[in-house]
Amino acid sequence: MAADGHHDHDIVAAGQGSANSGRPDDSDSVPGGAPPDSLPAAARSAPSDVPPGAESGDVAELHRLLVEHLPSGYALHEVLWDEHGQPRDYRFLEVNPAFEVMTGLARERVLGRTLLEVLPDIERKWVDIYGRVVTSGESISFEHRDELLGRHWDVRAWRAGPNRFAVVFSDATRCRVMEDELRRSSAMQRAMIRNIPFDFWARDASGRVVMQSDISVALWGDLTVSPDSERDVPEATRAGWAGTNARVLAGETVRHEHEVLLRDGTRRVFSSMVTPIRPMREDTTDGLLGILGINIDITEQRAAEQALRRSEERFRSLIENALNLPVQGYDRERRVFFWNAASERLYGFTSQEAMGRRLEELIIPDYMADEVRRDVAHWVETGIAPRAGELRLRHKDGSPVAVYSSHVALQGPGGEPEMYCIDVDLNDLRRAELALRESEQRFRSLVANLPGVVYRCEAEPPWRALFISDQVEQLTGHPAADYQQGGVALEHIIHPDDRARVVAGMEVTTDPDGHFSLEYRVLHADGTQRAVMEQGRRVLDESGRVFLDGVILDVTPLRQALSDLAAARDFLDAVMEAMPSALAGVGPDGLIIHWNRAAEEASGLSRDAARGRPAAEVLCRLVGAAPHVHEAVARR
């Protein structure tokens, strides 16, 4: 096998004799016994730029080491043809260790055997696909789901000489599994957010609404569609939102009760909490990611409070039959006298277990007990109820219970105060927040372990990064923060001599799906250069804004290896040219492919005049009649 991965002349893959080609000894034979004219022309006359003997010496050893240590699977095959010149099977000529590991097919099992001998149940289409590679000379790339082995493969195949093709493939199964897991996780997150049982929403740092619960959509309409979708919300309500949002974007958490005008003209009272969304890492210098808000409709609660003051019976009937609103009633000593069914479900204590016991014996954590005693005493003394807010109370089994708790006092028999606590279960919200954090962590872990620089950037030069993985520091010498904070744009890492070509290439990209592939040099901060391959795609976000998503791979070691191989090949060409003896090279098609200086001098025929002519016509200028030489050439 030549150093460039193609097969030339009469060289066969390691471990394969001439019998493995399926080709008879006479020069007119072709694989499968078909006459030479029935074999497609492209398959019969594949050109090669590798000189005779290029498989020997340093070039062959370098090629062997490259293939042997290639992390991707590699296999070289020979196509076998039927009597009609159509591909009927192909034979394994060479495989590398990665091929054996990825497929589970041992080298000894496949070498010298055909595809249908090794895998008799495999689909016929593979013979046709690779037959077209050989006949057309065009390489192909695709992803394949292998049902037999249960794997996903990224495959590239190209013609590697007459009747031969090579395949390089890598196992993409893990990536596909992780993509599926991310999709499932994302779908679960969206479902959890939609089903939050109250008005929940979130805005990004620009103020655009990016998510809503179903209840929020029912109240205000779908505000995530576009920035203009808020126009249907009454102006007075929007003005209130703007004031609160500005405070929260400045870092403040705002909790308040307020009356708002809905789209249908009705007015509702909400208990709201709006809080900043901060980055997960405490050591990051990034600003706020956005804000989120919880609006709990307490209109009915306020109306109920007025009704409760008029009638204890109506009050007790209302809260006793409220399905999802936990309510507890207690006296000045904090002893429970009312505990409805929703409280039983939320805290785990039955009404019988709770009656007569103090709150701190039931749902108040030890660290809050003194504060609760003081608040209740202050409430009894001044009539000022504890402030409504989010609390972390205690379940019967000791686990925490997140609630939004508000309080109301009534006059009981004899003027004794009766205090009531009304809780809203926030546990589902907390679980949703935890799931979102875990999903973000999984995404960051995935990106951190990819073998390249993953990015999202603006669609136009200088391609400022919106996100870029930490691997960029190893490639360019600049930390990811320099790119994401606008200090360094992706255009500036491209070598100045390559920059105009890359910009021009991006401008003329015509792929209908927005895919692009580039190769260029990168300037490292230390002044060194890296050869990279970049693959990406133009994408649209929900607002229609265009971005570039892609990955940059460092291919410097591969480029250096190819350069070393080319240098070795040039050296061998120079050695053969300098030989004092006449040297003529004959290709598999019987045409002269090499004619050194000594051959020119001995024959009087120039190199340009000799190359490409049948050997039988020009060798007589060197060796005369020499029947044994002509016979040897004819046997090729």
Side-chain angles (χ1 to χ4, degrees):
M1 186 169 64
D4 62 355
H6 291 69
H7 288 258
D8 296 324
H9 320 316
D10 58 351
I11 302 171
V12 296
Q16 303 300 305
S18 61
N20 286 339
S21 68
R23 185 189 302 270
D25 289 339
D26 64 277
S27 60
D28 293 333
S29 65
V30 294
D37 289 342
S38 69
L39 187 63
R44 286 186 279 108
S45 59
S48 172
D49 58 359
V50 181
E55 284 282 335
S56 61
D58 294 342
V59 175
E61 177 62 14
L62 284 172
H63 177 75
R64 185 189 67 79
L65 291 174
L66 177 63
V67 171
E68 182 175 315
H69 293 89
L70 191 68
S72 301
Y74 168 85
L76 178 68
H77 309 86
E78 177 186 36
V79 176
L80 305 179
W81 311 86
D82 63 20
E83 64 273 19
H84 304 295
Q86 298 300 315
R88 62 177 176 82
D89 203 346
Y90 56 80
R91 178 181 291 116
F92 291 87
L93 299 181
E94 185 60 78
V95 299
N96 71 346
F99 174 96
E100 298 177 85
V101 172
M102 290 182 181
T103 67
L105 299 174
R107 177 187 181 90
E108 295 77 14
R109 178 183 172 190
V110 301
L111 287 190
R113 302 181 67 194
T114 70
L115 173 70
L116 298 179
E117 290 173 345
V118 176
L119 301 171
D121 296 327
I122 197 167
E123 295 178 83
R124 162 77 193 186
K125 69 176 183 179
W126 298 112
V127 176
D128 297 331
I129 289 172
Y130 294 129
R132 285 195 295 272
V133 171
V134 171
T135 57
S136 69
E138 295 179 357
S139 62
I140 59 172
S141 298
F142 58 93
E143 179 178 320
H144 171 58
R145 165 65 178 171
D146 189 335
E147 299 295 343
L148 291 177
L149 301 176
R151 314 297 292 175
H152 286 271
W153 305 110
D154 283 333
V155 183
R156 179 175 174 80
W158 68 93
R159 186 171 66 191
N163 301 317
R164 294 181 178 180
F165 67 93
V167 177
V168 172
F169 60 93
S170 56
D171 190 344
T173 306
R174 184 179 178 187
C175 290
R176 300 301 170 266
V177 170
M178 287 190 289
E179 288 172 359
D180 291 342
E181 180 59 28
L182 284 174
R183 281 193 290 270
R184 286 193 295 271
S185 175
S186 178
M188 180 177 291
Q189 292 170 20
R190 290 193 297 270
M192 293 173 66
I193 291 170
R194 287 185 55 198
N195 288 284
I196 292 175
F198 41 80
D199 178 9
F200 170 84
W201 53 266
R203 297 176 182 265
D204 61 22
S206 69
R208 185 174 61 87
V209 177
V210 294
M211 62 180 66
Q212 289 177 271
S213 66
D214 285 349
I215 291 178
S216 179
V217 173
L219 287 171
W220 314 109
D222 188 352
L223 305 181
T224 66
V225 176
S226 71
D228 294 336
S229 57
E230 294 188 29
R231 290 183 301 181
D232 294 335
V233 178
E235 182 177 355
T237 300
R238 281 188 282 120
W241 288 355
T244 300
N245 295 345
R247 293 168 58 189
V248 178
L249 285 170
E252 179 183 356
T253 295
V254 177
R255 297 180 177 87
H256 64 122
E257 293 184 6
H258 55 112
E259 183 180 85
V260 298
L261 179 65
L262 300 184
R263 295 184 301 163
D264 61 4
T266 61
R267 292 185 175 275
R268 308 292 289 180
V269 178
F270 288 94
S271 178
S272 301
M273 180 181 68
V274 187
T275 187
I277 304 174
R278 305 182 187 278
M280 291 178 58
R281 292 174 50 192
E282 296 180 357
D283 58 343
T284 184
T285 58
D286 294 340
L288 299 181
L289 302 178
I291 62 176
L292 64 84
I294 302 166
N295 294 322
I296 301 170
D297 188 344
I298 59 171
T299 306
E300 286 73 20
Q301 176 186 324
R302 289 293 174 259
E305 289 174 358
Q306 296 174 4
L308 289 172
R309 293 188 181 95
R310 295 191 299 266
S311 171
E312 179 181 356
E313 181 178 350
R314 289 179 59 194
F315 164 75
R316 288 183 177 274
S317 176
L318 175 65
I319 62 175
E320 188 63 51
N321 294 296
L323 297 178
N324 295 311
L325 192 62
V327 179
Q328 310 91 46
Y330 51 93
D331 61 19
R332 66 170 65 230
E333 299 297 327
R334 305 171 306 285
R335 292 187 183 276
V336 173
F337 60 80
F338 180 81
W339 190 270
N340 71 350
S343 296
E344 292 182 332
R345 292 191 295 271
L346 181 61
Y347 295 110
F349 293 98
T350 66
S351 177
Q352 291 78 7
E353 291 173 324
M355 290 298 183
R357 297 174 64 181
R358 288 188 169 91
L359 287 178
E360 57 267 34
E361 298 173 2
L362 298 169
I363 62 175
I364 305 300
D366 294 342
Y367 71 91
M368 290 177 56
D370 289 342
E371 180 182 359
V372 169
R373 294 187 188 100
R374 288 194 300 270
D375 287 346
V376 172
H378 183 263
W379 189 4
V380 171
E381 181 179 350
T382 65
I384 301 174
R387 190 175 175 185
E390 186 175 335
L391 299 175
R392 200 170 182 82
L393 302 180
R394 183 176 61 198
H395 192 271
K396 181 180 179 179
D397 62 11
S399 61
V401 178
V403 298
Y404 186 88
S405 186
S406 56
H407 308 82
V408 63
L410 295 175
Q411 290 291 329
E416 280 295 304
E418 291 182 349
M419 279 74 75
Y420 292 89
C421 180
I422 306 170
D423 296 331
V424 176
D425 185 2
L426 299 181
N427 287 291
D428 286 344
L429 174 60
R430 294 295 167 262
R431 283 191 288 270
E433 291 173 345
L434 178 60
L436 287 171
R437 289 194 295 269
E438 291 175 347
S439 176
E440 175 72 12
Q441 186 60 41
R442 286 195 298 270
F443 170 76
R444 291 186 177 277
S445 176
L446 170 63
V447 170
N449 287 282
L450 288 174
V453 179
V454 178
Y455 68 85
R456 166 170 279 197
C457 69
E458 295 175 348
E460 301 298 331
W463 301 310
R464 299 193 182 280
L466 305 176
F467 168 81
I468 196 163
S469 61
D470 293 337
Q471 289 91 327
V472 72
E473 184 169 3
Q474 180 179 356
L475 180 65
T476 68
H478 298 286
D482 289 355
Y483 296 90
Q484 296 179 159
Q485 294 172 4
V488 180
L490 291 180
E491 179 182 10
H492 298 155
I493 70 174
I494 303 173
H495 193 284
D497 294 343
D498 297 344
R499 197 170 294 163
R501 173 176 58 81
V502 172
V503 172
M506 288 297 295
E507 290 176 349
V508 298
T509 297
T510 59
D511 186 275
D513 293 326
H515 293 283
F516 61 88
S517 180
L518 304 167
E519 291 192 29
Y520 53 87
R521 292 168 293 171
V522 166
L523 278 177
H524 194 277
D526 62 9
T528 60
Q529 298 181 17
R530 305 285 195 275
V532 301
M533 175 183 293
E534 178 180 347
Q535 293 186 331
R537 182 182 182 188
R538 293 180 181 271
V539 295
L540 297 175
D541 67 3
E542 295 175 350
S543 66
R545 185 180 177 187
V546 181
F547 298 100
L548 300 182
D549 286 347
V551 60
I552 303 173
L553 301 173
D554 187 350
V555 296
T556 305
L558 176 60
R559 292 289 176 265
Q560 185 60 48
L562 294 176
S563 176
D564 293 344
L565 286 173
R569 185 168 57 245
D570 293 343
F571 173 74
L572 289 176
D573 284 344
V575 168
M576 288 188 289
E577 186 66 21
M579 291 178 64
S581 300
L583 178 63
V586 182
D589 52 4
L591 301 180
I592 296 295
I593 61 173
H594 192 83
W595 191 263
N596 73 350
R597 184 180 297 108
E600 287 183 318
E601 295 172 353
S603 66
L605 192 64
S606 69
R607 180 184 292 107
D608 292 339
R611 282 180 176 170
R613 295 177 60 183
E617 294 181 8
V618 297
L619 286 181
C620 60
R621 302 283 292 269
L622 283 179
V623 298
H628 62 284
V629 174
H630 293 285
E631 181 181 353
V633 172
R635 282 200 301 269
R636 295 175 54 83

